[in-house]
Amino acid sequence: MAETLGNKQVSLLSLTHLGRFFSKARVVCFLMVLTLTFLIMASYNLTWDKKRLPFTTSPDQVRPGVVQSNTAAALVSSQNNLIDMKQLVEIINSKLEYTPRKVPNEKDVIEMDSHLFSVIPRHFLPGVKSPCWYEEISSERSTDPYRNNHYCPGSPTRKTLCDKMRPNFHKHLQHRDGKLFRLRCLPYFYIIGQPKCGTTDLYSRLKMHPEVQSSNIKEPHWWTRTHFGFRRFKDEFSDIFPVEDYLDLFDVAAQHIQEEMNRSSSGDHHITQFVTGEHIPSTMWDNRAWSYVHRDRKETEPSFLTQDFIHALQPGAKLIVILRDPVERLYSHYIFSRSGKKSVEDFHQRVIECVQMFQSCLSERSLRSCVYNRSLFRAMPMRLSGGLYVVFLLDWLTVFHRDQILVLRLEDYAADKRATLQKAFDFLGLSPLSVELEEEVMKNHVANSRGVKDKKVGPMLPATRDLLREFHQPFNRKLASVLDDSAFLWSYP
């Protein structure tokens, strides 16, 4: 009896110990799962659409060449929490030596948007500097040509502009063989980039030249967004803006060109010198729409880029790019776009996140794939890729000749606007300005300058600047080599 009872006691004790064992096992398993979860978070899955990730790095923890990262993956050893900048730079240098993109066949480009190429002819009017042509218009549409234009109801300002365009429209219609024709024009030149590099100010002064005609609406984003049904990528898909809506924006410019053509035909013989222009600083880099529209494609790099379509229509187009030190560009964009509280510490934190995400992408993908990756772009708290100028420029150079692209520096423009503007005037083949008008152009108010409140944020932290300079240096070296101009090194030590 006692023996039996003893056996039962032993069995109960065994069961108790076994229960405790499994309880501990469950705890261990839970901790292992929790650790694994943190590790996955730290791997920066590029399909995330989060705007922020939980980094808490202090600027004081950054050492030259190595960036300390206190992430949610705190269970990982401190060695794994370090970004070795020297190693990252070596990876960037190795991936910068890539084969140029394969340019799609022109037939494939046309098939991608057959309507676009059915509306715009392959040849333009002789004797007119801008790419213009006559298009037949029905009498029904001529009664209110802007009734269905998607740009007009965009804002009260745009609606007013469209209302002002209506009265003059009928005055400029051409009557031939019982049909009505209107003059259509595309931009002769495009300012394609980059954001926060002085494009707005440059364009505002270029427009003061009497031979430059601009679109009626600032930054329509047709080539990169509204063409595909996006106004802003944080919004949902909306109506696709047909190319006719985009061409309407140049009606006033076309009317001025037509008046000049009429004067020429009446005896004042000369080539119509008016040039149409467009300023959209995102055209150079923004190809996010392709990943939305062609989700079924398996390519990690975009097969078609904006420049493919512009070149197919206008192989002689002129392009203007103005760049600045990418380190300062990123900080300027942060100050401009950050709606909440701005601080140098917050900027530093975001820089760390961006660099880590970019490094994570490079470990699995090509450089171009990371630069054009939509998911990475959305996950990053700032537009770090916007300063990787050489990647975008090389892609534009796959279809346009080097002499068709004028590349300027904001630093030169700020130091000597007169000389930089003269470069742009010469590039566009514009007539010299009178002394009076030149002075008026120089006195024009500086556009998009930083406000007093933003200036109070102060300069970025030295640790942040050092990190960004080290990150951008390989790209700047490649850019300086492509342009054969050491000024684009931005004199980093």
Side-chain angles (χ1 to χ4, degrees), residues 146 161-169 216 248 251-252:
Y146 311 115
L161 287 171
C162 290
D163 289 340
K164 289 183 178 179
M165 290 163 58
R166 285 185 174 91
N168 290 323
F169 180 81
N216 294 339
D248 285 348
D251 272 3
V252 174

Side-chain angles (χ1 to χ4, degrees), residues 175-192:
H175 298 261
R176 281 182 285 168
D177 301 326
K179 298 178 180 180
L180 293 176
F181 293 87
R182 65 191 297 186
L183 187 67
R184 288 292 212 180
C185 296
L186 279 169
Y188 172 77
F189 71 91
Y190 299 82
I191 298 181
I192 60 174

Side-chain angles (χ1 to χ4, degrees), residues 34-140:
L34 184 62
T35 302
L36 182 61
T37 301
F38 283 142
L39 287 171
I40 292 172
M41 290 173 65
S43 70
Y44 317 123
N45 189 328
L46 296 182
T47 61
W48 282 10
D49 285 335
K50 290 189 175 183
K51 294 183 179 179
R52 295 296 310 276
L53 293 175
F55 301 100
T56 55
T57 306
S58 165
D60 299 330
Q61 294 173 302
V62 178
R63 304 195 304 275
V66 177
V67 181
Q68 177 72 41
S69 169
N70 294 334
T71 72
L75 297 175
V76 186
S77 66
S78 59
Q79 182 178 1
N80 291 336
N81 281 339
L82 294 174
I83 290 184
D84 188 334
M85 286 303 297
K86 182 178 180 181
Q87 182 185 40
L88 176 56
V89 168
E90 289 177 355
I91 294 172
I92 293 172
N93 277 322
S94 66
K95 298 214 169 191
L96 269 171
E97 300 303 320
Y98 57 83
T99 304
R101 67 181 284 256
K102 182 181 178 181
V103 179
N105 186 285
E106 186 175 284
K107 180 182 177 182
D108 295 332
V109 174
I110 294 173
E111 287 180 354
M112 287 296 297
D113 194 341
S114 57
H115 177 71
L116 170 65
F117 290 91
S118 69
V119 171
I120 299 176
R122 308 308 301 274
H123 302 285
F124 305 115
L125 292 174
V128 180
K129 199 170 178 181
S130 293
C132 300
W133 68 98
Y134 279 107
E135 175 187 279
E136 185 178 354
I137 183 172
S138 66
S139 57
E140 181 181 354

Side-chain angles (χ1 to χ4, degrees), residues 221-231 233 282 286 288:
H221 293 284
W222 187 81
W223 291 100
T224 57
R225 299 182 192 177
T226 58
H227 180 191
F228 306 98
F230 295 96
R231 299 192 186 191
F233 281 100
S282 62
D286 190 357
R288 288 172 289 170

